[in-house]
Amino acid sequence: MQSTRSYRNHFIFLGIFFLCILLLNISLGSVAIPLEAVLQSLFGGEVEKESWRFIITEYRLPKAMTAIIAGGGLAIAGLLMQTLFRNPLAGPFVLGLSSGASLGVAILILGAGAFGGYFSTLLLNEWSLVIASAFGSFLVLLAVLAVTFRVKDTMAILIIGLMFGSVTSAVVAVLSYFSKAEQLQQYIFWSFGSLGDVSWSGLGILSFCFLIGLLLALYQSKSLNALLLGENYAKSMGIRMKRTTFVIILATSILAGGITAFAGPIAFVGLAVPHLTRQYFNTSNHLVLIPAVLLSGSILMLVCDTVAQWPFHEFTLPINAITSLIGAPVVIWLLVRKRKLLF
């Protein structure tokens, strides 16, 4: 374990790195904007070109904020699941939330094709996909929460969550098989994940969901520390397992479900960032880990988004591909070097 001073130094370093990559993320893109213009635009100063201010405030800043919330939220959700199930391979979508969101979007896209014309345009706007994704995740959440009241073993909850995910994935596969090429292409593009399609109004809703999930996670930090030593130890410490499991699953669902609804299913971040953060901070204390994974997840997502937008080019690479291509080799290197997971 490390001292409080060491933790503070780590947080200061990550904070400085976060600010640097945030400014770099906003300044780079198909149109290169000088760092001075970025700072002036953010703090209300005079900008040389008014088009730069529009690009920053209406596109790049919302996208950067979405990356911060998505990276931090998925990292916290992954930490909660890994601690609850004491499984290093658990992630934010292990309960089938991503599959439920994919099912909702797949049903909407396939169903919209039956109407065509005005109805098809009405159904396939930004908010319809968000609502369909959130509704699919919510149905899976209700099923998982219902299970938590009937099953005492957390490992059984994990297996049941995986089964829910398998069932919804199977339905999506059937719907995809009978879809037209255009519908299937639209669904595939959604499954790639995107940080640039969230408006300021959508960002407000996403921020609200993120804040609720974060507060619930912080509220359970002491219970999470007790769970690391096993359920029997947690019960001996006065932890009410059913209530704690319910709150942890609810927090994970709000974080992962909300982010998936607005940004699509983003892989790898929730699985890898908790491991990276444990290695860097060398602690299992969730009072330290929760803000640490929040900051680390935000940094990783900003780095991946900076690479994905391919500076000075007009196209943007799929964010899902970049998170895995950048993050997976780093995790493999760290685990080989450390030779163990800190649990």
Side-chain angles (χ1 to χ4, degrees), residues 152-174:
K152 296 182 180 180
D153 187 9
T154 54
M155 192 56 62
I157 297 174
L158 173 61
I159 295 173
I160 293 172
L162 291 173
M163 294 304 102
F164 278 129
S166 297
V167 171
T168 52
S169 296
V171 176
V172 169
V174 173

Side-chain angles (χ1 to χ4, degrees), residues 10-319:
H10 287 333
F11 276 114
I12 291 174
F13 172 76
L14 288 179
I16 295 173
F17 188 30
F18 169 79
L19 291 176
C20 293
I21 192 62
L22 174 62
L23 293 175
L24 181 65
N25 178 267
I26 296 175
S27 64
L28 293 179
S30 58
V31 177
I33 301 177
L35 183 59
E36 181 182 357
V38 172
L39 294 173
Q40 290 174 342
S41 178
L42 293 178
F43 293 102
E46 293 293 331
V47 182
E48 180 180 343
K49 296 181 179 179
E50 198 60 32
S51 60
W52 287 353
R53 185 191 300 276
F54 179 82
I55 292 172
I56 292 172
T57 57
E58 298 300 322
Y59 180 71
R60 293 190 183 177
L61 187 57
K63 183 162 67 70
M65 295 297 295
T66 303
I68 292 169
I69 293 175
L74 291 176
I76 293 174
L79 175 67
L80 295 178
M81 290 293 93
Q82 290 173 10
T83 301
L84 176 64
F85 298 118
R86 289 184 52 79
N87 188 331
L89 296 179
F93 301 126
V94 73
L95 298 177
L97 298 173
S98 177
S99 298
S102 300
L103 177 61
V105 172
I107 291 175
L108 177 67
I109 293 176
L110 180 61
F115 295 97
Y118 171 77
F119 292 99
S120 180
T121 305
L122 180 65
L123 287 172
L124 295 180
N125 58 38
E126 173 194 356
W127 285 104
S128 64
L129 292 176
V130 170
I131 293 172
S133 176
F135 185 70
S137 296
F138 181 69
L139 290 180
V140 174
L141 167 63
L142 289 180
V144 172
L145 291 180
V147 168
T148 60
F149 288 107
R150 300 180 63 88
V151 178
K152 296 182 180 180
D153 187 9
T154 54
M155 192 56 62
I157 297 174
L158 173 61
I159 295 173
I160 293 172
L162 291 173
M163 294 304 102
F164 278 129
S166 297
V167 171
T168 52
S169 296
V171 176
V172 169
V174 173
L175 293 175
S176 300
Y177 182 80
F178 290 103
S179 298
K180 296 180 180 178
E182 297 80 5
Q183 299 166 350
L184 187 58
Q185 183 184 47
Q186 183 176 6
Y187 172 75
I188 291 175
F189 282 161
W190 175 84
S191 68
F192 285 158
S194 175
L195 302 173
D197 298 330
V198 182
S199 62
W200 279 111
S201 57
L203 187 59
I205 299 174
L206 179 59
S207 301
F208 179 71
C209 295
F210 170 76
L211 182 61
I212 294 177
L214 175 60
L215 292 176
L216 288 175
L218 290 171
Y219 174 70
Q220 291 296 322
S221 57
K222 292 184 179 179
S223 299
L224 291 166
N225 288 340
L227 284 172
L228 287 175
L229 299 176
E231 289 189 22
N232 292 332
Y233 176 81
K235 291 177 181 178
S236 69
M237 294 292 292
I239 303 298
R240 297 166 58 185
M241 283 304 302
K242 279 194 174 182
R243 179 174 175 272
T244 299
T245 302
F246 175 84
V247 174
I248 291 174
I249 291 177
L250 181 62
T252 302
S253 302
I254 292 173
L255 290 169
I259 291 167
T260 303
F262 284 94
I266 298 177
F268 179 80
V269 176
L271 174 64
V273 170
H275 295 308
L276 295 172
T277 307
R278 290 191 192 96
Q279 299 286 353
Y280 182 57
F281 280 82
N282 193 31
T283 183
S284 296
N285 183 2
H286 285 77
L287 288 172
V288 176
L289 280 178
I290 290 176
V293 297
L294 167 59
L295 193 54
S296 301
S298 300
I299 291 172
L300 177 61
M301 189 62 75
L302 284 172
V303 171
C304 292
D305 181 56
T306 302
V307 175
Q309 66 189 9
W310 205 253
F312 316 121
H313 290 77
E314 296 181 358
F315 59 87
T316 302
L317 298 175
I319 190 65

